[in-house]
Amino acid sequence: MALTCFSSFPLKAFPFPSFSYPKRPKMSVNLNTKASSETGNRKLPILLFDIMDTIVRDPFYHDVPAFFGMSLKELIECKHPTAWSEFEKGMIDEVELARIFFKDGRSFDLEGLKNCMRRGYSYIEGVEELLHALKQNNYEIHAFSNYPIWYKMIEDKLQISRYLSWTFCSCIIGKRKPDPDFYLEVLSHLKVDPANCIFIDDRLKNVEAAMELGIVGLHFKNTDLLLQDLFSTGIDISIDEHRQS
């Protein structure tokens, strides 16, 4: 569901040498039969979308460094190592974030930063049309995102709630992906078997964490590839009629 987040601020802008980890055994999740039987006429699968850089462009990589007058590398080096992740989990508010954001304690224009981010929020190409098509086909869709209370700024600008529910935000649940407990919280809330959920995220480690629990995981790269991946799971939709001309 993704600043994705100053958290451990995203580092995917930097290349790292490729290597493979040994595969861990898949964890099994047993939900009681009552939970599964309660689905009734509920349309399955349920779709869980990361937000930042999956549905919404993340302003962090270009807009935010420019706001501070520094490069992305410089910003990462001088920011507090845990302030954003604490903000994402609802452990601190935005006033405290501003107070501790930089390691050297320097102050900055918090409202200016928020305005910078508001301007940077926009739909990833083709994703709004995809969400509309899924909604038209009566799929149940939820946000499953690491993001602070500022998700409300995204909603105010893009009105994503027309297509999905902001059900699983880290600032509400107090957990962050890829913590398995966050995924288990989602499954407990939805009362469905993991195999009846499809999770889409641009971060591979988050997708892999979902798959270890039996959730169907799709690694988002772009909308056209996601359509192909959804088709492979049995979701056959077209967004051509919804595309902007």
Side-chain angles (χ1 to χ4, degrees):
M1 215 73 348
L3 281 138
T4 297
C5 299
F6 295 151
S7 80
S8 336
F9 262 123
L11 300 178
K12 60 188 175 185
F14 300 100
F16 292 92
S18 60
F19 54 91
S20 59
Y21 293 94
K23 289 191 175 180
R24 289 181 287 176
K26 179 187 264 189
M27 297 173 61
S28 62
V29 178
N30 294 317
L31 300 178
N32 59 47
T33 54
K34 179 181 178 183
S36 295
S37 65
E38 286 176 349
T39 58
N41 294 324
R42 191 179 193 180
K43 184 165 184 174
L44 299 174
I46 294 170
L47 296 165
L48 304 168
F49 273 86
D50 170 54
I51 298 297
M52 302 312 293
D53 277 346
T54 300
I55 289 178
V56 177
R57 174 187 176 270
D58 192 336
F60 172 72
Y61 301 102
H62 300 288
D63 307 43
V64 173
F67 171 79
F68 286 116
M70 59 181 72
S71 69
L72 178 61
K73 185 175 184 293
E74 290 169 335
L75 178 57
I76 290 171
E77 288 174 348
C78 64
K79 63 119 184 146
H80 187 283
T82 63
W84 184 260
S85 60
E86 291 170 6
F87 187 37
E88 280 188 328
K89 291 195 288 186
M91 297 170 61
I92 62 173
D93 61 18
E94 64 180 35
V95 174
E96 180 66 4
L97 173 75
R99 188 183 73 82
I100 67 172
F101 182 73
F102 286 107
K103 286 188 286 189
D104 61 9
R106 77 186 76 169
S107 62
F108 66 91
D109 179 5
L110 177 62
E111 288 305 313
L113 174 62
K114 291 169 68 176
N115 288 333
C116 167
M117 295 179 66
R118 284 190 192 96
R119 291 191 297 271
Y121 295 141
S122 62
Y123 279 104
I124 299 291
E125 183 178 359
V127 169
E128 184 176 13
E129 294 84 356
L130 170 60
L131 292 173
H132 181 72
L134 290 167
K135 185 72 172 179
Q136 290 290 100
N137 281 273
N138 300 312
Y139 282 100
E140 181 178 335
I141 314 172
H142 299 269
F144 183 18
S145 182
N146 293 343
Y147 217 65
I149 193 66
W150 290 352
Y151 79 86
K152 293 182 178 180
M153 298 195 303
I154 300 175
E155 172 61 23
D156 288 344
K157 181 175 183 181
L158 302 180
Q159 299 182 319
I160 295 177
S161 61
R162 290 174 293 169
Y163 311 114
L164 54 72
S165 298
W166 288 96
T167 318
F168 307 113
C169 279
S170 58
C171 64
I172 299 170
I173 308 297
K175 299 179 176 70
R176 296 178 70 252
K177 299 171 295 185
D179 181 352
D181 286 345
F182 197 0
Y183 298 79
L184 293 173
E185 185 91 18
V186 170
L187 294 173
S188 175
H189 178 93
L190 293 175
K191 293 181 168 58
V192 293
D193 290 326
N196 287 326
C197 294
I198 296 177
F199 171 56
I200 301 104
D201 196 307
D202 67 302
R203 289 176 173 259
L204 184 57
K205 67 179 181 180
N206 294 339
V207 175
E208 290 173 341
M211 294 171 69
E212 288 179 357
L213 294 170
I215 298 169
V216 178
L218 302 179
H219 184 205
F220 180 81
K221 299 181 181 69
N222 61 56
T223 304
D224 288 336
L225 289 175
L226 178 56
L227 278 169
Q228 295 175 27
D229 289 341
L230 288 171
F231 180 79
S232 72
T233 70
I235 298 179
D236 184 11
I237 58 170
S238 171
I239 66 172
D240 290 340
E241 61 188 278
H242 305 291
R243 287 188 186 274
Q244 304 285 339
S245 56

